[in-house]
Amino acid sequence: MANKIAVLTDTGCDRIEDLVKLGVDYIPLYITFDGNNYIKQVKDVSVEEFYDRVKTATIHPKTSLPSVMDFVDKFNEYLDKGCALK
């Protein structure tokens, strides 16, 4: 029996919306604007909004990679669907 394959990325990659249309799943990055936390791209802050806010903000945003647990949770989601880790 062939294993199912999933392609994953984080939202630091370019053109995430196009990749999602192709079936690629993602783990979101985090952004902090003025003390408020957001999930980058597709969820809370679009690429356009991010760059608009960078241009107008007096304090630049902070970004953070997904946590290890974010990756573990996403991997487990696909393991539960029958995908194999390689």
Side-chain angles (χ1 to χ4, degrees):
M1 181 166 124
N3 291 322
K4 295 179 183 179
I5 297 173
V7 179
L8 303 171
T9 187
D10 63 41
T11 55
C13 73
D14 291 333
R15 314 283 306 183
I16 190 70
E17 293 88 358
D18 293 336
L19 293 173
V20 167
K21 290 176 188 173
L22 295 172
V24 175
D25 202 354
Y26 61 90
I27 299 125
L29 299 177
Y30 297 94
I31 300 172
T32 301
F33 282 112
D34 298 323
N36 296 310
N37 295 316
Y38 302 93
I39 298 175
K40 183 179 184 283
Q41 246 167 291
V42 184
K43 293 196 180 218
D44 292 337
V45 178
S46 69
V47 173
E48 294 80 16
E49 182 181 355
F50 175 80
Y51 286 113
D52 286 345
R53 291 181 78 170
V54 166
K55 290 176 191 174
T56 61
T58 56
I59 299 174
H60 290 295
K62 296 179 182 177
T63 59
S64 175
L65 297 172
S67 70
V68 171
M69 202 65 212
D70 291 335
F71 282 97
V72 169
D73 290 343
K74 186 61 76 171
F75 292 158
N76 283 332
E77 179 183 323
Y78 280 92
L79 287 171
D80 291 344
K81 293 178 183 179
C83 293
L85 292 177
K86 299 216 178 209

